[in-house]
Amino acid sequence: MLADWIHRGFQGKTLVYVDAHLDLQFIRDERMQRLRAAATRDEVTALEKTNHLLPDGDFVYGIENFLYAAAQLGVIDRLIWVSPPHVDIRLSPEVLDYVQQIDGVTFEELAGIRKTPESCYEATLLGLDITFCGVDQLDHLSIPEDSLVDIDTDFFVALPSDRAWMHPRDLQSAIVSSVPNPAMISIARSVSSGFMPLRYRYFADYLAALFEGDAEQVTHFANLFDIEHADYDGAARIAAIENESRAWPDCPATLYLHDRLLEAAEPHAAAASVSAAYAYDPVRLASGVVNRHLALDKSRIDGLRVELSPDAPAEAHIALGLAYAARGAVQAALDCYRDYGQPHPQLALEIGGLLAAQGDADQRQKLLEVAASEDSCRSSALLQLADIAIGHSDLDEALRLTEQVQALAPAWMEPLGRLAWLYAQKGTDPAANPYRTEIETRSAILRRLLAV
């Protein structure tokens, strides 16, 4: 997507971004320089992380931070984030706590979040002007012609129900009426990464058919949506999917829904014979444990591990390790880390956090040092390493690490409190006082912000 935007020469665009997640993570400048130096579409594409489970390594951007890259390259200068109703975008303590932990966000940016008369929110984060809104607020906004539109279909899935909360047709209608003559519309499936259920994979095709005006496809996909979501009785639902299967015998989405509704022993089989994307994939299910909170217990994850094929990619072990970590299964997560066979910062961070309760400081430190090598994990890893240093009574090392975190995430209050405490422990209260004053000042500002 970023490569396409750059290839088409887009600059200074407004992006209408329909997604359940704000993919605006910070990228260090030395990595961004590699992206700035990319001269061709292929060179930009080569810097994109091809799998969300891979460590950053030689990649520069991926699904979690492409918006930051686009802003830094000047492709976009305004973001309109259209979020689903189950994602809290209000000015709440939880939202402010989340935003302040984003690397690179300043406290001035955090304090500048404001509510608009239309009950949207506006902010400048990481230098990018952002409007936060819902679908029903889109038509209140002034959106310029030739804006970009990016839709991630995980927007449609409510959690924890794991069901669609909105009809794709209603989203497309809202975009058509609110975004005049978009320069480009891109649609992401987010199925292989576990953010989107396989049964809704066709939502991307449905949206494409709606935007392209393909009436036959629109009717077909609308029928599939209604078969699952409308108020049918059991027999009527089965009759409807049987009719659709006869009319569309080569549509994998239809075959998959048909076999699911008829409770086939292998609901993937027929659909997978038409499209490999519908093949049974334990890695996708493991990723769903983390990315959309699937309720799989440890024994079920054990089963997924057994089901891995011998030629499964190494990243499969990371998906399972992260799923185990989400269930608090430290040893199983460590086993997966070892099976992966090389450093992996994200899994190292998750395991390192779990090891805090077990008192294994040496192993935890080694893992957190791995985690600190990657942008998305760095601040959290460094702060935990500071905890270990405190446990070793090495207050100077704890100060050094905590100061790094404060520089990386300047809006984050926790490092300020830690610095004040550390200086007090060292018996240098005068050095602690500026941090205490800053905490009091910021706390008062945040209280006023929440009271608006």
Side-chain angles (χ1 to χ4, degrees):
M1 182 161 28
L2 180 62
D4 288 332
W5 290 343
I6 293 170
H7 178 67
R8 297 188 185 201
F10 294 142
Q11 283 286 295
K13 291 291 188 183
T14 293
L15 172 62
V16 178
Y17 172 71
V18 184
D19 199 317
H21 309 89
L22 182 61
D23 298 318
L24 190 64
Q25 290 183 19
F26 177 77
I27 303 172
R28 275 175 290 161
D29 191 58
E30 55 264 39
R31 294 174 61 215
M32 276 301 307
Q33 291 296 347
R34 296 176 57 216
L35 187 54
R36 292 188 181 100
T40 68
R41 182 179 186 172
D42 287 345
E43 288 175 351
V44 173
T45 300
L47 297 174
E48 179 178 8
K49 195 188 300 187
T50 54
N51 185 319
H52 75 289
L53 295 168
L54 290 168
D56 283 351
D58 293 329
F59 303 111
V60 174
Y61 70 99
I63 61 172
E64 74 284 353
N65 57 16
F66 77 98
L67 294 177
Y68 181 82
Q72 288 294 301
L73 295 172
V75 175
I76 60 174
D77 59 16
R78 181 189 178 197
L79 181 72
I80 298 173
W81 179 26
V82 185
S83 65
H86 53 275
V87 174
D88 187 5
I89 59 169
R90 300 168 301 161
L91 275 175
S92 65
E94 293 76 18
V95 168
L96 291 179
D97 186 58
Y98 168 78
V99 173
Q100 69 180 255
Q101 294 184 48
I102 299 175
D103 278 12
V105 171
T106 67
F107 186 77
E108 290 71 25
E109 289 180 325
L110 179 70
I113 300 174
R114 56 205 173 272
K115 190 174 183 178
T116 72
E118 299 80 20
S119 294
C120 302
Y121 291 89
E122 293 180 343
T124 299
L125 301 177
L126 297 174
L128 177 62
D129 291 338
I130 307 177
T131 299
F132 305 80
C133 69
V135 176
D136 56 348
Q137 296 163 314
L138 262 181
D139 60 0
H140 297 301
L141 303 178
S142 176
I143 301 175
E145 287 199 14
D146 295 329
S147 293
L148 302 175
V149 176
D150 179 60
I151 303 169
D152 191 325
T153 55
D154 69 5
F155 168 85
F156 291 101
V157 181
L159 299 175
S161 68
D162 210 35
R163 286 181 60 82
W165 66 272
M166 184 183 193
H167 199 299
R169 180 181 55 217
D170 295 333
L171 174 66
Q172 188 264 350
S173 177
I175 290 173
V176 167
S177 65
S178 305
V179 186
N181 302 314
M184 178 177 167
I185 299 173
S186 50
I187 304 169
R189 296 186 191 276
S190 292
V191 172
S192 61
S193 57
F195 285 102
M196 185 74 170
L198 180 62
R199 69 182 187 278
Y200 293 146
R201 188 178 187 276
Y202 74 91
F203 277 19
D205 303 299
Y206 189 5
L207 285 168
L210 286 161
F211 283 115
E212 293 166 358
D214 186 332
E216 187 178 23
Q217 292 258 11
V218 164
T219 299
H220 168 51
F221 291 128
N223 288 343
L224 291 187
F225 187 92
D226 289 343
I227 287 168
E228 183 165 4
H229 298 89
D231 188 19
Y232 284 94
D233 63 33
R237 198 182 305 277
I238 297 302
I241 191 60
E242 294 282 9
N243 288 337
E244 210 65 29
S245 298
R246 284 191 289 271
W248 295 82
D250 297 322
C251 172
T254 307
L255 295 171
Y256 183 63
L257 181 57
H258 175 275
D259 286 357
R260 282 188 75 250
L261 292 177
L262 271 64
E263 299 181 350
E266 296 184 25
H268 294 264
S273 70
V274 176
S275 169
Y278 283 82
Y280 176 72
D281 184 3
V283 177
R284 181 175 57 227
L285 285 174
S287 294
V289 172
V290 177
N291 294 334
R292 63 176 208 279
H293 315 301
L294 289 185
L296 304 185
D297 60 19
K298 180 182 178 297
S299 63
R300 182 70 178 95
I301 301 170
D302 290 341
L304 296 178
R305 194 175 181 193
V306 170
E307 291 167 356
L308 281 183
S309 65
D311 59 348
E315 292 74 42
H317 300 294
I318 298 303
L320 289 161
L322 291 170
Y324 279 125
R327 295 291 172 265
V330 183
Q331 188 55 54
L334 273 168
D335 291 343
C336 290
Y337 189 91
R338 293 178 182 126
D339 287 343
Y340 181 62
Q342 53 190 308
H344 193 282
Q346 183 61 50
L347 184 53
L349 179 66
E350 299 301 327
I351 298 172
L354 292 172
L355 286 174
Q358 298 190 1
D360 189 347
D362 290 342
Q363 185 174 37
R364 185 183 177 212
Q365 180 162 346
K366 291 175 184 176
L367 288 165
L368 291 173
E369 286 170 352
V370 169
S373 68
E374 194 157 285
D375 290 352
S376 62
C377 307
R378 178 169 296 184
S379 292
S380 179
L382 289 173
L383 203 59
Q384 292 187 59
L385 285 167
D387 284 339
I388 294 173
I390 291 169
H392 292 156
S393 299
D394 190 347
L395 299 186
D396 289 332
E397 176 66 0
L399 271 172
R400 184 187 71 81
L401 293 167
T402 307
E403 285 170 348
Q404 284 188 53
V405 178
Q406 204 275 323
L408 288 167
W412 197 4
M413 299 278 277
E414 186 173 344
L416 291 177
R418 185 74 58 84
L419 288 168
W421 182 85
L422 284 165
Y423 278 115
Q425 292 297 303
K426 285 172 64 68
T428 53
D429 258 12
N433 286 335
Y435 295 107
R436 293 171 180 152
T437 301
E438 182 68 14
I439 291 167
E440 290 175 3
T441 301
R442 290 188 181 190
S443 296
I445 291 171
L446 292 179
R447 283 195 297 270
R448 289 197 296 271
L449 196 61
L450 291 169
V452 174

